[in-house]
Amino acid sequence: MEFKKELKDHYSKGHEKYLRHISVDCVIFGFHENDLKVLLLKTKYAGGWALPGGFILKNEHMDASAQRILKERTGLDEIFLEQFHVFGDPDRSTKKINQQFLKNIGVKADISWMFERFVTIGYYALVDFTKVTPSPDNISAACEWFSIYQLPEMILDHHHIFDEALQNLRMQLNFHPVGFNLLGKKFTMPELQKLYETILGKELDRRNFQRKMLATGILKRLDETKKGVAHKAPFYYKFDLRNYKKALKSGMHSFE
Amino acid sequence: MEFKKELKDHYSKGHEKYLRHISVDCVIFGFHENDLKVLLLKTKYAGGWALPGGFILKNEHMDASAQRILKERTGLDEIFLEQFHVFGDPDRSTKKINQQFLKNIGVKADISWMFERFVTIGYYALVDFTKVTPSPDNISAACEWFSIYQLPEMILDHHHIFDEALQNLRMQLNFHPVGFNLLGKKFTMPELQKLYETILGKELDRRNFQRKMLATGILKRLDETKKGVAHKAPFYYKFDLRNYKKALKSGMHSFE
DNA sequence: CCAAAAGTGTTTAAAATACACCCATGC
DNA sequence: GCATGGGTGTATTTTAAACACTTTTGG
């Protein structure tokens, strides 16, 4: 069985390929149907959901590892990525989980780099939900989006990692208009507002939001309005990358 | 020679004691004579100054490693510490430096965990300058404070790590009144202001500064004034930890 | 008594917040 | 035509920034 051989190799020889003791975990945020979502993997046999993660190749830039992991799970390139925290508690051991996993799947291994302690580097990613094709890795049974307000049971400290990621994202939102990375090429003001409200977890004033957003100068209104929608049709906007870069230098404003 | 043996052991057997591929580097800030300073080490033989750093013991919490490293260099316990960034470029190799170092010192080693790639976790520390007794480690010739505006040539990417630390400190200063960690038990308002000005790299209005600071409610004015000083004697203040913790929850203000 | 630094205001400008009105569209 | 959501504008409050005067102290 090809899969078992691959797995055995990973456990017995992975340390020749990857840096020991270091893993990368990604909190992938997407926005869909007015809800902020996170992409999670269901581990085979071993119960519980997990953040997509991986390891750093011996000659690979750490940021590139995160990009590679994201590419594999979402199919996307050049994702917005932000390293936000390192989790270095010696008790966050994956040993038990890994041993349980191998036992269940019927692979033997007594010692393995995978049983050793891991320090994990947390990244969060902001992706365009509509562009993502979630695909599980070979040790996972499923790869699905979850609302951040209805997360399932998660392995290890992954829920804690998620919490930190969300907190960092909220902070970031006050300085850089990172929200745009979660939307498509064009979007309406109400959509953008919903996004902000979902991330921040609170409602914002519609009129003040629009004024502030436009004041940043990083939005460009299109002549097009949203079609086939009840009530007054909202305009589409697009994100003006050039002005964005200029605005970044002079600092961004915060939201309520 | 005891030292050479220790060193040889470190290079040949250190990987049994520490996590491979991971180092910790600390940017230690101190405030003295109206100047923000950083504690640096002069490496023996290999030229250039370096940030105090070290490795994570196999069963040690990452944060504890940083505390241990700081204790060794400054003599202080329970230092204010903040993990701010991980540097994971595969090119940031210490191999050449280490080999040069060993050659110069006359120790032989062909392979060593120390020649492998390191991902380093950056911490910055805020310490009370007057409490610190700088002491070099056994591979360093000197341990000295430098003004952040007159830094010497530094090895590897240490200058870049410093830059990131300073940038993070400035950010942090807008949300948490971290400045207090750099001062002693009591301090005058002008001293506190100088500190802020030095960190932020710009002048602040004396009167507005005082008002804002007092508005946070985390300062307590003592009945004591500074003695033996020309002109009007400023009051001493102390930092009110209890109110500080309360204030943190409701968020802090920014400075100009 | 005067220069220099510190304490305590006030005035002005800007930004955040709250709120009101009109317009378009589908049912 | 009316309920609903969207575009635009104004009043109010809050906060930041600019500025002035008085007080204390050593020389």
Side-chain angles (χ1 to χ4, degrees), chain B residues 207-208 211-212 229 231-232 256:
Chain B
R207 297 148 288 192
N208 294 334
R211 189 176 334 105
K212 260 191 188 173
V229 68
H231 322 299
K232 185 164 182 176
E256 298 182 35

Side-chain angles (χ1 to χ4, degrees), chain A residues 205-208 211-212 229-233 253 256:
Chain A
D205 183 277
R206 182 172 64 85
R207 295 148 290 191
N208 294 334
R211 186 171 341 104
K212 261 190 188 172
V229 69
H231 322 300
K232 186 166 182 177
H253 318 281
E256 298 183 33

